[in-house]
Amino acid sequence: MPQILIVDDSSGIRHQVTTFLKENGYDVIAADDGRTGLEQAKKNPSLKLIIADVNMPDMDGLTMVEKIREAGNQNVAVLMLTTESQPMLKQRAKASGVKGWLVKPFNGPGTLPIIKQLVGS
């Protein structure tokens, strides 16, 4: 079962995304900020996908992705789930290997095809 990490400071978003993914057969780990997300990514090198918010306390999602890449994990796919739309942030995400930019609110059925493609299921 592919393992996915959800990183968002909103407990409602974490719950919504986690519930949707579990209902679709995925193993889900959740973190409430970028620092905890980074720790989880390091502890779980077999992660197939990270879905992360951009704006979070302690460490934002883009910095988290950059640190995951710096730590040597170039393989995990990343989708950003955010309200942000600034082109500069999107460029930074792309430079870090982010595969997609999803705008909140989370649309589970609409994102399922890209999730399946990224995790290989």
Side-chain angles (χ1 to χ4, degrees):
M1 173 177 337
Q3 195 171 52
I4 299 174
L5 172 62
I6 306 304
V7 187
D8 199 302
D9 59 322
S10 165
S11 60
I13 294 290
R14 282 194 317 273
H15 177 74
Q16 178 187 14
V17 176
T18 297
T19 300
F20 175 79
L21 292 172
K22 285 183 175 183
E23 288 172 352
N24 283 277
Y26 296 101
D27 182 20
V28 181
I29 301 169
D32 61 1
D33 63 33
R35 191 164 313 285
T36 308
L38 176 61
E39 291 169 7
Q40 289 294 334
K42 287 180 177 178
K43 285 197 291 190
N44 298 283
S46 64
L47 285 171
K48 296 291 185 187
L49 176 64
I50 297 171
I51 300 174
D53 189 10
V54 171
N55 294 317
M56 295 181 286
D58 290 324
M59 182 185 296
D60 66 83
L62 292 174
T63 300
M64 178 194 72
V65 173
E66 291 164 350
K67 290 188 177 293
I68 289 169
R69 300 299 190 220
E70 288 169 10
N73 189 339
Q74 305 299 320
N75 297 325
V76 66
V78 180
L79 293 173
M80 301 309 291
L81 176 62
T82 183
T83 59
E84 292 291 340
S85 61
Q86 298 171 355
M88 192 170 71
L89 290 175
K90 290 180 180 182
Q91 290 171 348
R92 182 176 165 204
K94 188 174 181 179
S96 298
V98 171
K99 299 294 184 189
W101 194 270
L102 308 173
V103 179
K104 289 180 181 178
F106 178 68
N107 174 0
T111 61
L112 196 54
I114 186 84
I115 291 169
K116 287 182 177 183
Q117 178 185 3
L118 292 173
V119 300
S121 65

